[in-house]
Amino acid sequence: MRIVLVRLSALGDIVHTWPLADAIRSARPRAHLSWVVEEPFLPLVEGHPAVDSIFTVTTKRWRRRPFSTSTRAEIAVLKSRFQELDPDLAIDAQGTLKSALVTRWTGAPRRVGLARPWRRELVAGLPLTETLPGSRDHRHVVATHLALVRAVGGEPPTGPPPPAGRWLSDRASGSSIASTWKTPYAVILPGAGRPEKILPVETLAESARHLVSRGLDVVVAWGPAEGDRARAIAGRGDARIHLAPPTDLLELTAVLGAAALVVGGDTGPVHLAASLGVPTIAIHLTTDPLRNGPIGDRTSFISAARPGRGRRGSATTGRARRVPADEIETAVDGMLRSQD
């Protein structure tokens, strides 16, 4: 059986789809499993123990120049590769228009995705031949994804398992970047994918100073468009608060994997840290942590989001309050005590 799993982006969403890939492999150990992913996120799939082959796409660039010769040529090559694979089944675990197009391009006779309201976008159901309900017992998006294992005759586990990122940590072990700083160190993550998820610089700066008072150096790790915020947190005159250099995904994995503690908002690197087994605190300002929070024995969250469910297919419920630095400090102290 040849199966194509479509989960294009983003960092945290791909991490939350790893358990589905594992479940498909468990249910169909002899199947050929391919994963379609956006090119920048290739390191999050390449080398995954359940994945046999990978297709990369660059939909952002294609949308900017939909009629260019290069775009048409790249899509033609992708379709040709799908024809060579001749898949029996495509599973759309993303539920958006762009993932729906890719699912259609696979040419698989069976194309399965989530039913509403678990599917994010209504139009994404158009190319599907079948839809499946998400989990009715567990709100977390990992459980929702795992419901799709029924497409291959599998049965979802009774509770959503934590995404396991040890394989990625092993791949990143060749990076020496984590040895740049004195250990033990904590990592502060200042960014997030949307502005409403971002914590104030001063709040994170106070949290960094508290971590130093607990005997930890602090590394401020940042991604695209987050450099100014990271510099503002690190540039407070404390020699034990360090600004990380620009990192690729494997280097970021190495930095997070060697940390004693990671603190950040609802952002992909937080979920990556949790998958590595690192003690992780996530601060959810507008999103439901019971749906999108980190999973695992070494994770905790602070929620400032309004209670209740977001709109269909969304974790966003809106903000109910601000999160003061002392609340984060209390969570840090509790997490550090639990690791003693």
Side-chain angles (χ1 to χ4, degrees):
M1 187 178 194
R2 295 173 298 281
I3 305 165
V4 177
L5 176 60
V6 181
R7 177 80 240 190
L8 308 180
S9 60
L11 197 165
D13 297 311
I14 291 171
V15 168
H16 284 156
T17 309
W18 288 344
L20 173 59
D22 292 330
I24 292 171
R25 174 59 62 211
S26 179
R28 292 281 185 166
R30 296 186 179 180
H32 182 100
L33 178 61
S34 301
W35 189 314
V36 191
V37 67
E38 294 278 4
E39 192 171 79
F41 298 109
L42 174 61
L44 299 176
V45 178
E46 191 173 39
H48 190 288
V51 178
D52 297 299
S53 62
I54 302 170
F55 295 82
T56 58
V57 297
T58 54
T59 62
K60 187 174 182 180
R61 189 174 75 239
W62 294 348
R63 290 196 303 271
R64 285 200 304 262
R65 303 180 61 194
F67 304 111
S68 71
T69 301
S70 61
T71 295
R72 293 200 303 270
E74 289 173 14
I75 292 174
V77 169
L78 176 66
K79 290 180 177 179
S80 177
R81 288 190 62 205
F82 283 140
Q83 285 183 326
E84 291 174 4
L85 178 66
D86 191 22
D88 303 292
L89 167 67
I91 299 175
D92 182 358
Q94 185 152 332
T96 62
L97 176 58
K98 63 181 181 179
S99 66
L101 285 172
V102 173
T103 301
R104 181 74 179 111
W105 291 343
T106 66
R110 287 185 67 209
R111 299 181 296 277
V112 182
L114 291 165
R116 296 284 275 172
W118 296 273
R119 188 176 70 250
R120 187 180 304 178
E121 297 178 10
L122 178 63
V123 71
L126 293 177
L128 301 178
T129 61
E130 303 169 38
T131 59
L132 293 170
S135 173
R136 299 183 187 279
D137 300 320
H138 298 277
R139 289 166 60 181
H140 202 279
V141 68
V142 169
T144 296
H145 291 155
L146 280 167
L148 290 169
V149 76
R150 292 192 173 100
V152 298
E155 192 62 30
T158 55
R166 178 57 59 189
W167 66 273
L168 185 59
S169 183
D170 291 343
R171 285 194 65 219
S173 61
S175 173
S176 61
I177 188 170
S179 63
T180 305
W181 307 287
K182 177 184 176 182
T183 55
Y185 65 79
V187 173
I188 293 281
L189 297 166
R194 296 199 300 270
E196 64 270 19
K197 293 183 177 183
I198 295 175
L199 289 152
V201 165
E202 187 52 48
T203 300
L204 290 175
E206 287 185 43
S207 300
R209 290 191 290 269
H210 180 73
L211 285 161
V212 169
S213 75
R214 292 299 308 270
L216 295 169
D217 276 33
V218 175
V219 176
V220 185
W222 52 282
E226 298 169 2
D228 289 345
R229 291 175 48 77
R231 282 185 285 272
I233 295 167
R236 299 297 175 108
D238 193 317
R240 297 188 65 181
I241 302 176
H242 313 277
L243 179 69
T247 57
D248 61 26
L249 283 172
L250 286 181
E251 290 169 334
L252 175 62
T253 299
V255 172
L256 296 175
L261 178 69
V262 173
V263 179
D266 178 17
T267 180
V270 158
H271 302 299
L272 177 58
S275 80
L276 302 175
V278 175
T280 303
I281 300 171
I283 301 98
H284 286 249
L285 297 183
T286 63
T287 52
D288 177 6
L290 297 180
R291 182 187 184 275
N292 273 51
I295 307 177
D297 295 337
R298 308 183 84 190
T299 66
S300 68
F301 63 79
I302 297 169
S303 179
R306 288 197 297 265
R309 299 173 185 264
R311 66 182 187 278
R312 289 190 172 199
S314 171
T316 301
T317 62
R319 186 186 301 196
R321 63 183 182 88
R322 61 181 290 272
V323 176
D326 59 4
E327 187 174 358
I328 300 174
E329 291 163 12
T330 298
V332 164
D333 292 344
M335 183 65 77
L336 291 176
R337 280 195 302 271
S338 72
Q339 305 308 313
D340 289 341

